[in-house]
PDB file of all heavy atoms in Angstrom:
ATOM      1  N   GLY A 174       8.117 -26.503 -85.738  1.00  0.00           N
ATOM      2  CA  GLY A 174       9.521 -26.885 -85.910  1.00  0.00           C
ATOM      3  C   GLY A 174      10.354 -26.775 -84.648  1.00  0.00           C
ATOM      4  O   GLY A 174      11.534 -27.087 -84.668  1.00  0.00           O
ATOM      5  N   LEU A 175       9.780 -26.334 -83.555  1.00  0.00           N
ATOM      6  CA  LEU A 175      10.544 -26.250 -82.300  1.00  0.00           C
ATOM      7  C   LEU A 175      10.310 -27.525 -81.484  1.00  0.00           C
ATOM      8  O   LEU A 175       9.271 -28.163 -81.611  1.00  0.00           O
ATOM      9  CB  LEU A 175      10.119 -25.009 -81.511  1.00  0.00           C
ATOM     10  CG  LEU A 175      10.476 -23.679 -82.162  1.00  0.00           C
ATOM     11  CD1 LEU A 175       9.966 -22.515 -81.335  1.00  0.00           C
ATOM     12  CD2 LEU A 175      11.979 -23.564 -82.337  1.00  0.00           C
ATOM     13  N   PRO A 176      11.283 -27.876 -80.642  1.00  0.00           N
ATOM     14  CA  PRO A 176      11.201 -29.191 -79.974  1.00  0.00           C
ATOM     15  C   PRO A 176      10.298 -29.203 -78.732  1.00  0.00           C
ATOM     16  O   PRO A 176      10.712 -29.644 -77.674  1.00  0.00           O
ATOM     17  CB  PRO A 176      12.655 -29.456 -79.595  1.00  0.00           C
ATOM     18  CG  PRO A 176      13.235 -28.104 -79.390  1.00  0.00           C
ATOM     19  CD  PRO A 176      12.540 -27.181 -80.338  1.00  0.00           C
ATOM     20  N   HIS A 177       9.041 -28.729 -78.879  1.00  0.00           N
ATOM     21  CA  HIS A 177       8.158 -28.720 -77.709  1.00  0.00           C
ATOM     22  C   HIS A 177       7.761 -30.130 -77.294  1.00  0.00           C
ATOM     23  O   HIS A 177       7.568 -30.399 -76.122  1.00  0.00           O
ATOM     24  CB  HIS A 177       6.919 -27.873 -77.971  1.00  0.00           C
ATOM     25  CG  HIS A 177       6.310 -28.064 -79.317  1.00  0.00           C
ATOM     26  ND1 HIS A 177       6.622 -27.235 -80.371  1.00  0.00           N
ATOM     27  CD2 HIS A 177       5.444 -28.983 -79.791  1.00  0.00           C
ATOM     28  CE1 HIS A 177       5.959 -27.647 -81.442  1.00  0.00           C
ATOM     29  NE2 HIS A 177       5.240 -28.706 -81.115  1.00  0.00           N
ATOM     30  N   ASN A 178       7.640 -31.031 -78.275  1.00  0.00           N
ATOM     31  CA  ASN A 178       7.255 -32.401 -77.928  1.00  0.00           C
ATOM     32  C   ASN A 178       8.327 -33.081 -77.080  1.00  0.00           C
ATOM     33  O   ASN A 178       8.027 -33.746 -76.097  1.00  0.00           O
ATOM     34  CB  ASN A 178       7.000 -33.224 -79.188  1.00  0.00           C
ATOM     35  CG  ASN A 178       5.745 -32.767 -79.896  1.00  0.00           C
ATOM     36  OD1 ASN A 178       4.892 -32.119 -79.294  1.00  0.00           O
ATOM     37  ND2 ASN A 178       5.643 -33.075 -81.174  1.00  0.00           N
ATOM     38  N   GLN A 179       9.591 -32.878 -77.493  1.00  0.00           N
ATOM     39  CA  GLN A 179      10.690 -33.462 -76.723  1.00  0.00           C
ATOM     40  C   GLN A 179      10.691 -32.901 -75.292  1.00  0.00           C
ATOM     41  O   GLN A 179      10.871 -33.636 -74.330  1.00  0.00           O
ATOM     42  CB  GLN A 179      12.056 -33.137 -77.371  1.00  0.00           C
ATOM     43  CG  GLN A 179      12.381 -33.981 -78.577  1.00  0.00           C
ATOM     44  CD  GLN A 179      11.772 -33.395 -79.858  1.00  0.00           C
ATOM     45  OE1 GLN A 179      10.799 -32.662 -79.806  1.00  0.00           O
ATOM     46  NE2 GLN A 179      12.351 -33.742 -80.994  1.00  0.00           N
ATOM     47  N   LEU A 180      10.472 -31.587 -75.201  1.00  0.00           N
ATOM     48  CA  LEU A 180      10.486 -30.962 -73.876  1.00  0.00           C
ATOM     49  C   LEU A 180       9.353 -31.521 -73.010  1.00  0.00           C
ATOM     50  O   LEU A 180       9.561 -31.875 -71.849  1.00  0.00           O
ATOM     51  CB  LEU A 180      10.365 -29.437 -74.028  1.00  0.00           C
ATOM     52  CG  LEU A 180      10.386 -28.637 -72.735  1.00  0.00           C
ATOM     53  CD1 LEU A 180      11.682 -28.856 -71.972  1.00  0.00           C
ATOM     54  CD2 LEU A 180      10.206 -27.146 -73.019  1.00  0.00           C
ATOM     55  N   ALA A 181       8.144 -31.623 -73.615  1.00  0.00           N
ATOM     56  CA  ALA A 181       7.006 -32.130 -72.846  1.00  0.00           C
ATOM     57  C   ALA A 181       7.265 -33.571 -72.399  1.00  0.00           C
ATOM     58  O   ALA A 181       6.986 -33.939 -71.254  1.00  0.00           O
ATOM     59  CB  ALA A 181       5.735 -32.058 -73.690  1.00  0.00           C
ATOM     60  N   ALA A 182       7.841 -34.377 -73.314  1.00  0.00           N
ATOM     61  CA  ALA A 182       8.123 -35.768 -72.962  1.00  0.00           C
ATOM     62  C   ALA A 182       9.172 -35.833 -71.857  1.00  0.00           C
ATOM     63  O   ALA A 182       9.078 -36.652 -70.935  1.00  0.00           O
ATOM     64  CB  ALA A 182       8.600 -36.525 -74.192  1.00  0.00           C
ATOM     65  N   GLN A 183      10.170 -34.931 -71.943  1.00  0.00           N
ATOM     66  CA  GLN A 183      11.205 -34.930 -70.900  1.00  0.00           C
ATOM     67  C   GLN A 183      10.617 -34.546 -69.542  1.00  0.00           C
ATOM     68  O   GLN A 183      10.964 -35.140 -68.518  1.00  0.00           O
ATOM     69  CB  GLN A 183      12.332 -33.953 -71.282  1.00  0.00           C
ATOM     70  CG  GLN A 183      13.552 -34.112 -70.397  1.00  0.00           C
ATOM     71  CD  GLN A 183      14.718 -33.211 -70.829  1.00  0.00           C
ATOM     72  OE1 GLN A 183      14.608 -32.458 -71.793  1.00  0.00           O
ATOM     73  NE2 GLN A 183      15.831 -33.302 -70.118  1.00  0.00           N
ATOM     74  N   ILE A 184       9.706 -33.566 -69.542  1.00  0.00           N
ATOM     75  CA  ILE A 184       9.068 -33.187 -68.276  1.00  0.00           C
ATOM     76  C   ILE A 184       8.269 -34.360 -67.729  1.00  0.00           C
ATOM     77  O   ILE A 184       8.378 -34.726 -66.561  1.00  0.00           O
ATOM     78  CB  ILE A 184       8.148 -31.963 -68.475  1.00  0.00           C
ATOM     79  CG1 ILE A 184       8.969 -30.731 -68.850  1.00  0.00           C
ATOM     80  CG2 ILE A 184       7.349 -31.688 -67.207  1.00  0.00           C
ATOM     81  CD1 ILE A 184       8.142 -29.526 -69.239  1.00  0.00           C
ATOM     82  N   ALA A 185       7.472 -35.003 -68.609  1.00  0.00           N
ATOM     83  CA  ALA A 185       6.645 -36.131 -68.161  1.00  0.00           C
ATOM     84  C   ALA A 185       7.514 -37.242 -67.587  1.00  0.00           C
ATOM     85  O   ALA A 185       7.133 -37.912 -66.626  1.00  0.00           O
ATOM     86  CB  ALA A 185       5.817 -36.661 -69.329  1.00  0.00           C
ATOM     87  N   ARG A 186       8.693 -37.407 -68.163  1.00  0.00           N
ATOM     88  CA  ARG A 186       9.584 -38.490 -67.730  1.00  0.00           C
ATOM     89  C   ARG A 186      10.282 -38.170 -66.416  1.00  0.00           C
ATOM     90  O   ARG A 186      10.434 -39.005 -65.549  1.00  0.00           O
ATOM     91  CB  ARG A 186      10.625 -38.707 -68.833  1.00  0.00           C
ATOM     92  CG  ARG A 186      11.395 -39.984 -68.766  1.00  0.00           C
ATOM     93  CD  ARG A 186      12.193 -40.162 -70.052  1.00  0.00           C
ATOM     94  NE  ARG A 186      13.146 -39.069 -70.244  1.00  0.00           N
ATOM     95  CZ  ARG A 186      13.261 -38.370 -71.377  1.00  0.00           C
ATOM     96  NH1 ARG A 186      12.488 -38.622 -72.405  1.00  0.00           N
ATOM     97  NH2 ARG A 186      14.151 -37.406 -71.473  1.00  0.00           N
ATOM     98  N   GLN A 187      10.699 -36.919 -66.271  1.00  0.00           N
ATOM     99  CA  GLN A 187      11.573 -36.583 -65.134  1.00  0.00           C
ATOM    100  C   GLN A 187      10.852 -35.990 -63.922  1.00  0.00           C
ATOM    101  O   GLN A 187      11.431 -35.892 -62.850  1.00  0.00           O
ATOM    102  CB  GLN A 187      12.648 -35.587 -65.599  1.00  0.00           C
ATOM    103  CG  GLN A 187      13.584 -36.172 -66.625  1.00  0.00           C
ATOM    104  CD  GLN A 187      14.662 -35.213 -67.105  1.00  0.00           C
ATOM    105  OE1 GLN A 187      15.561 -35.604 -67.800  1.00  0.00           O
ATOM    106  NE2 GLN A 187      14.575 -33.938 -66.732  1.00  0.00           N
ATOM    107  N   ALA A 188       9.621 -35.523 -64.116  1.00  0.00           N
ATOM    108  CA  ALA A 188       8.944 -34.787 -63.051  1.00  0.00           C
ATOM    109  C   ALA A 188       8.803 -35.614 -61.790  1.00  0.00           C
ATOM    110  O   ALA A 188       8.408 -36.772 -61.824  1.00  0.00           O
ATOM    111  CB  ALA A 188       7.573 -34.330 -63.534  1.00  0.00           C
ATOM    112  N   LYS A 189       9.162 -34.990 -60.655  1.00  0.00           N
ATOM    113  CA  LYS A 189       9.009 -35.667 -59.369  1.00  0.00           C
ATOM    114  C   LYS A 189       8.891 -34.623 -58.276  1.00  0.00           C
ATOM    115  O   LYS A 189       9.299 -33.474 -58.447  1.00  0.00           O
ATOM    116  CB  LYS A 189      10.208 -36.584 -59.106  1.00  0.00           C
ATOM    117  CG  LYS A 189      11.537 -35.860 -59.081  1.00  0.00           C
ATOM    118  CD  LYS A 189      12.673 -36.850 -59.275  1.00  0.00           C
ATOM    119  CE  LYS A 189      13.963 -36.167 -59.742  1.00  0.00           C
ATOM    120  NZ  LYS A 189      13.924 -35.646 -61.115  1.00  0.00           N
TER     121      LYS A 189
END
Side-chain angles (χ1 to χ4, degrees):
Chain A
L175 293 178
H177 43 265
N178 290 340
Q179 282 85 336
L180 181 60
Q183 192 176 1
I184 294 173
R186 196 170 61 230
Q187 295 180 171
K189 59 199 160 290

